[in-house]
Amino acid sequence: MTRPAIFADITAPSPERRPVSDTRHGITRVDEYAWLRADNWQEVFRDPSVLDPDIRSHLEAENSYQAELMADTAELRKALFAEMKGRIKEDDSSVPMKDGPFAYGSSFKKGGEQPRYFRIPSEGGAEEIILDGDKEAEGHAYFRLGGLDHSSDHARLIWGFDDKGSEFYTLRVRELSDGTDLTDVVGDTGGSGVWDAANAGFFYTRLDPNHRPSKVLYHALGSDAASDRLIYEETDPGFFMNVGGTRSNEWIMISISDHETSEYRLFPATDPLAAPKLVAAREIGLQYDLEEGGDIFFVLTNADGAKDFKIMTAPVSDPVRANWKELVAHEPGRLILSVIGFKDFMVRLERKEGLPRIVVHERATGAEHHISFPEEAFSLGLSGSYEYDTDMIRFSYSSMTTPSQLFDYNMRTRERVLLKTQEVPSGHNADDYVTRRLMAPAPDGELVPISLIHHRDTPLDGTAPCLLYGYGSYGMTIPASFNTNCLSLVDRGFVYAIAHVRGGKDKGYAWYDDGKRATKTNTFTDFVACAHHLVAERYTAHDRIVAQGGSAGGMLMGAVANMAPEAFAGILAEVPFVDVLTTMLDDTLPLTPPEWPEWGNPIASEDDYRTIAAYSPYDNVAAIDYPPILAVAGLTDPRVTYWEPAKWAARLRERKSGNSPVLFKINMDSGHAGASGRFSRLEEVAFNYAFALKVVGRV
């Protein structure tokens, strides 16, 4: 197709070419833009001011270029922002959840960017603000709160914050009686802490200079953090690690995992100096999760070929694998996602035939029932409870047309109580919209689910524009949930669609396996197949489809841009993982070793090298007519480093044919998640949507 000239003809930034060659397995690659990777990237994550001036100058030139190309959307962006903000209840508040004498919740004040956390007496009384995010964020260009954990005696609160976007969190301890913070300051953490049983100190993960959670330490209140006791050290950089507690406050659990293997170590919360006890040693491909159950642990595992997982039990006295006993058998095609244990019940969230469901298991009798819903496509969230000895659980429900609803559910009486329905202050009539579930035929015959929403008045004759979203990695499933932001496109005649491509677990664990490592290209061909199917079914046309994805979904965007540029009117890639081969060859980067099970290890394996090289977007940029591309990134992002999209944009401009521009927008004050405030984030969404509207001629 001939692409229309949509953008002004402005000279794009053209960074200097400084070729660097790299030879592995007898194969040599040349990277002209490797210099955009700051040698002191670890320092830049902590202090962006130390960025090399040449690199900073180029990034600022990129921002000036995209700002000029998008200048004619200024009023549109204001309108989009106002619409999206108008759908948010500015002084929204969660329904507090009971934990003994108090119920805890969060809220926003009108105009506030950050959440406030509060508690109220369970029997009723005045609300008490225990942490005000807006107050804590004052004076910071970037600020994001981490995890919060109140002590079991409700006297203190552990809270974390990141003020750089680099995800190195600092932990503080707040005295809830007067709102003051203790002198305890613990830096370079993963963002949360968990109390010991006596509330005399807490456990946390320490990040090393390469941003890896390498140690679990114990901090005694009032002590110097430099003297914190080492509980466990993970020496394999290929594994993530986290520490958490149980709702009964009986156990501290250290979970260690990569994308296909897991291991647990645990010890009593009453004995913070105890040596962690190994449950089942890591075994490549064996995954398991532990959940408390009084005198037993529930074990969610894929052991013994249970690809879609089963549930077993283990005695707390000796929970080693030899003592595991089956409770819920493996059922192919029914993927068990999570388990929550209670005194009298066990609850699991599972997905069957592409849709989630909640199943309640009565421990005394083994009787089960599931909570049912009528819509064709929907999303469920299982909140559980702060309390262990309770009959009540909490869950949320939404669909692409139905605002989120929060329920309390009595597992014994099966009574369902609607606590809250998401308010849309500017108004929302679900009857104005249609949601559908389609199945797109992939090249190999698989059927790829598509969830979509459109306005009831949108003509389905091939003239409607479409935003097609995809992810497809790490087994992540993109839910068909209510999204107030996308209504700004839908109300302008867009079809908003989610392609549930392989690499996620939308159709079971096999759906994930068929979209990783040697089969990764299925993710890309599935996405293109979804675009073709939407055109075949007259929902849209190829010159009206804007593809969108972020992080690993941004890698998907880069891959389909190389593979089928003619299928799309525009590509929107947020924090895109586009230089896959270079990153997987650099074992000093934060996430590289833990990612090898997902992508392959091109350092050790020539086959993995060749597999990744064949699809890595940066390595496959060619002299083809790409659609307009917008890449968005954050300078301090430790997950997808800024230089990946910076290099990609430069190489695209150097090699492509045609007149479509490549825009690169970088937030110099944020990381992987973008702007930290809720309204600042809406400004970024408005920019992205303005790009989508512009490339389909709807500005």
Side-chain angles (χ1 to χ4, degrees), residues 620-680:
N620 289 278
V621 171
I624 55 181
D625 185 9
Y626 290 91
I629 293 174
L630 169 62
V632 181
L635 178 61
T636 55
D637 185 349
R639 298 173 185 266
V640 177
T641 52
Y642 74 85
W643 57 83
E644 291 204 29
K647 290 166 53 180
W648 183 49
R651 180 171 281 184
L652 279 165
R653 293 194 195 111
E654 176 196 338
R655 298 187 180 181
K656 73 180 183 66
S657 62
N659 60 359
S660 296
V662 177
L663 291 72
F664 177 39
K665 180 176 184 284
I666 180 164
N667 190 327
M668 303 297 280
D669 296 308
S670 79
H672 194 66
S676 56
R678 58 174 176 162
F679 298 133
S680 298

Side-chain angles (χ1 to χ4, degrees), residues 17 22 69 88 164 234 282 285 298 356 380 390 403 410 471 474 515 568 591 602 624 677:
R17 300 170 82 255
D22 178 72
L69 286 181
I88 295 175
K164 297 289 189 301
E234 177 53 53
R282 66 192 71 172
F298 296 106
L380 284 179
T390 181
N410 189 304
Y471 187 75
Y474 306 116
F568 306 101
L591 294 184
I624 55 181

Side-chain angles (χ1 to χ4, degrees), residues 227-246:
S227 62
D228 286 354
R229 182 177 184 272
L230 177 66
I231 302 297
Y232 180 77
E233 182 172 6
E234 177 53 53
T235 57
D236 188 335
F239 281 80
F240 301 101
M241 183 166 60
N242 187 42
V243 61
T246 58

Side-chain angles (χ1 to χ4, degrees), residues 438-441 450 460-462 528-542 545:
L438 308 180
M439 302 300 279
I450 304 172
L460 302 181
D461 58 3
V528 175
C530 288
H532 288 319
H533 189 65
L534 289 166
V535 172
E537 294 296 308
R538 304 281 287 167
Y539 281 95
T540 187
H542 284 299
I545 300 177

